[in-house]
Amino acid sequence: MTQPQATAEVLWTAFQAMKRSEREAFIARLIEDSELAEDLRYGAVIRKRKTEPTISLDDYLATRSKGKR
């Protein structure tokens, strides 16, 4: 386990040990930071779409330039 993974594990364990109201307050604080909130949204989208097929940038641009999306 890497140091960042170990730190994440400690933080996750601490989060899970919190009371529900404490977890809600913590999450509310996280999303008050607009940059972090944006990062969280992007992370959620990436995780959700991880199994979708990919296309190359060149193929995407070629399709887009033909007016197809």
Side-chain angles (χ1 to χ4, degrees):
M1 181 178 293
T2 66
Q3 182 61 41
Q5 290 170 328
T7 300
E9 188 64 30
V10 168
L11 293 172
W12 179 244
T13 301
F15 178 80
Q16 289 178 311
M18 292 177 176
K19 295 176 186 174
R20 182 180 184 96
S21 61
E22 293 170 332
R23 289 192 310 260
E24 289 172 355
F26 179 75
I27 291 170
R29 181 105 187 247
L30 288 177
I31 60 176
E32 284 176 3
D33 180 320
S34 61
E35 289 183 22
L36 180 56
E38 183 177 15
D39 290 345
L40 292 171
R41 284 191 296 274
Y42 286 155
V45 169
I46 290 167
R47 186 176 185 102
K48 182 178 179 180
R49 298 182 73 179
K50 190 174 185 177
T51 60
E52 291 182 10
T54 60
I55 62 170
S56 71
L57 177 60
D58 291 337
D59 289 345
Y60 170 76
L61 293 175
T63 302
R64 186 175 168 157
S65 68
K66 293 178 184 177
K68 299 177 185 176
R69 286 193 174 181

